Structure formats: C-alpha cells, structure tokens
Amino acid sequence: MTDRINAFPPGTVEGVSKIIGDLYSGNELTRITAEVPLRSDPGEGHTKCRRLAHAVSNNQAKTGTGNALIGLVRAAMRPERTLDRKPRADIARDELNQVLSLVSLKVLPDGRVAKTKKASTDTEALARSERLHKILEQRGAHVAVLAYCREDLVRKDYYEAVFEAIKGLGARIRSETGVDADGYALVEKTMAGSAPTLRINNGRTRTDRDEQLGIANLAKGLFSAFRNPVAHEPKLHWTMSELDALDVMGTLSMIHRRLDAAMRENGAGA
C-alpha cells in the first residue's frame, strides 16, 4: 500500500501505537521507527505507546498524510520480525485489524496493509470470540473447553470464558462421580488420596501415582488461583489477558483429556 493516505484520527493512532508498543521493547521500537522513519520524542517519563503516538501524530501534522502509521504497522508486523514472538504477534495482528477495520484497512499475514470493508465497533466481541476459538482449535483444545469461547463470554475481556470453563470442569467431575462438592474440595474427594474415585491410570506404579497426584494438584490449582478469586472479587478488580486465558484453557484441556480416559471407582473405563 504505497498511495498517499489521509491522516488518521487520534483514536486510530493511539490504538495502533498501544498494540505495537506492547509487542516490542523500547530498543526494538527505536529500530522499527528508524525504518519508517519517525523522529519525535515527547520527553522523559512517557510510555512506549505514548512516544509512538506522539511520533505518528507529529508526522501527520507535518506531512498531512497517514503514511507514517502505515509504515509503522508494516515495519512492526513483517514475518521475519514477528517470528520469535508469533503467538503474541498473532494476537496483535487481530487487535490491529479491529482498530484498522474502523478506517477500512486490515493487516495481511505478510505485514502489508490493505483496504477492506469498513466495520463498526459492535464487531469487536465476535472478533475476539472467533480469535480465541481459532487459536484454541489450533492448540488442540478439548471440546469441553471450546464451548466456553462464545461471543457473550468474551465480550469485554476473558474473565467470563475462563470463569465458566473452570466451573464446567467442576460440573463434569460432579456429574461423573455424584460427589456433591465444589472447587478444591471436589478434586480432593474425587481425584486425590490413596483410593481416588476418578483414576486417570491404574495406579500400580510410583509413576502412575505421581501422575494422578499431579493432575489432581493442577485441577486444585486452577480452582484456587482462578475460580475462587473470581467468584469472590468484583469484576472491576479481576482482569485477564488473552495469553493467560489461552494458557488456562490449555491446562483445562489437558485435564479433560485425562478424564476422558479415567477409570471410575469400579475400575471400568470412561
């Protein structure tokens, strides 16, 4: 995209600057802006994102164009530059596309910027939901986890998706064991101890018993670290990034797969 581009509104400049600023270190951003080139420094004490936004805004005021912003995106999203941080870069590309879709632009996989149909802000929740679902599918997430990537659960952040997915694990354990408990206590009663109700292996060797204990401790940890705080703290005080949500969902998927093959108290398979 090499045409003369109209200057972008402040919201677009700030949104793009924040996404790229969060993706790279200060030294890396210095090299990226030198390629554009962008030269502007609002002074000490400002964040990376603020410095980028200031540089782009100054360039737009000087040139009357938005070409510097396009140059910044292209320099930052080139595959050879994002290769060593691909998972984070994939998320950044999707976030850039949300911001740029409001000005009829999108970032292609090779880092180039192209024209696209203009979107409205009400597409954001669906975009977040589809992105989370797609990444989890690529990771081989369990179907019981994918069910919690609905648009309504990730509308504002990933709080609800993780909260509900962990609740879903508890519901599955209760359903399969008939044990009336929740959270840490539920796992302790069904998967821990010398004679667990849900046995992920036959328990004959030390390795088997260590694996059983390890999976039980992982499940307890998820309930303690995420379910319990989320259940008792106001949403205002509990946030979660997409990367953290993906990691939690991945751990949940592993536990669900172990439960798929678990043996019940009578020794029968699932």
Side-chain angles (χ1 to χ4, degrees), residues 8-110:
F8 293 100
T12 302
V13 174
E14 292 167 7
V16 169
S17 298
K18 182 180 188 310
I19 295 164
I20 294 176
D22 288 342
L23 185 60
Y24 292 103
S25 69
N27 289 336
E28 290 171 327
L29 288 174
T30 297
R31 292 192 291 272
I32 289 171
T33 54
E35 292 179 19
V36 177
L38 283 171
R39 291 188 177 87
S40 180
D41 190 341
E44 296 298 326
H46 292 283
T47 65
K48 296 179 295 181
C49 307
R50 177 70 181 274
R51 288 171 181 266
L52 280 180
H54 189 269
V56 172
S57 296
N58 274 7
N59 185 280
Q60 289 196 154
K62 181 179 179 180
T63 66
T65 77
N67 289 54
L69 184 70
I70 300 301
L72 174 63
V73 172
R74 292 176 63 183
M77 301 308 296
R78 291 203 314 266
E80 66 270 23
R81 179 161 270 143
T82 60
L83 185 61
D84 65 345
R85 66 200 75 199
K86 188 176 185 307
R88 291 171 55 209
D90 287 343
I91 293 171
R93 184 179 295 104
D94 285 333
E95 291 175 342
L96 285 169
N97 282 335
Q98 289 179 30
V99 172
L100 292 175
S101 68
L102 301 177
V103 290
S104 305
L105 296 174
K106 64 180 178 181
V107 184
L108 301 176
D110 63 2

Side-chain angles (χ1 to χ4, degrees), residues 176-193:
E176 295 187 4
T177 64
V179 173
D180 185 15
D182 193 20
Y184 188 103
L186 175 64
V187 178
E188 181 68 25
K189 290 181 179 180
T190 59
M191 299 180 68

